[in-house]
Amino acid sequence: MARIAGVNLPTNKRVIIALQYIHGIGPKGAADIMKQTGFDEARRVNQLTDAEVLQIREVIDRDYMVEGDLRREVSMNIKRLMDLGCYRGLRHRRGLPVRGQRTSTNARTRKGPAKAIQGKKK
């Protein structure tokens, strides 16, 4: 079982797909890693030797920010916006959509489940 950047890659998948299990590596990044290492894209993770896994690990360590470091940087960027008190930071602080989406309808992912309106009792 190959372990890269703290993630166990699934053994029976193609390498280009398995690399996408690492946070911070998408389809383009995985294809670039495969080009840099010079491996065939049809290879499976269980066909890789230890030296080849080490070569992939070195490319990722050298060129990509992944997993914990990436998550930390993103959270620090959000915290910086919140500390500045800019519009985007206020939206993050209130748990509302940040990028201009409408909130009168939709936005349930950010706002959470709908709350029932409590009517007046007579």
Side-chain angles (χ1 to χ4, degrees):
M1 178 180 290
R3 186 169 175 85
I4 299 175
V7 176
N8 292 328
L9 300 182
T11 55
N12 56 349
K13 291 192 182 285
R14 292 185 3 224
V15 178
I16 196 164
I17 301 299
L19 285 174
Q20 295 177 40
Y21 280 65
I22 300 171
H23 181 76
I25 296 178
K28 173 125 176 36
D32 290 344
I33 291 169
M34 293 299 284
K35 276 187 195 150
Q36 288 179 3
T37 54
F39 300 147
D40 182 30
E41 292 191 2
R43 298 213 29 208
R44 306 264 172 184
V45 174
N46 56 10
Q47 297 171 343
L48 293 176
T49 64
D50 290 338
E52 291 170 338
V53 172
L54 185 64
Q55 190 176 353
I56 291 173
R57 190 178 297 136
E58 287 172 354
V59 169
I60 290 174
D61 288 343
R62 185 181 66 231
D63 298 336
Y64 294 90
M65 182 180 296
V66 293
E67 286 298 325
D69 294 335
L70 180 61
R71 292 180 203 272
R72 191 174 313 108
E73 182 167 326
V74 169
S75 67
M76 290 301 294
N77 288 341
I78 292 172
K79 187 176 184 314
R80 179 181 52 83
L81 290 171
M82 289 166 52
D83 291 343
L84 284 173
C86 64
Y87 181 78
R88 282 175 57 200
L90 294 176
R91 302 297 282 185
H92 274 292
R93 196 179 304 158
R94 293 179 185 155
L96 293 169
V98 177
R99 297 188 176 176
Q101 296 91 336
R102 65 184 300 137
T103 56
S104 59
T105 60
N106 304 333
R108 290 276 56 118
T109 302
R110 283 292 295 197
K111 291 167 74 173
K115 299 164 192 79
I117 299 173
Q118 301 295 323
K120 291 184 180 179
K121 292 185 179 180
K122 293 184 179 180

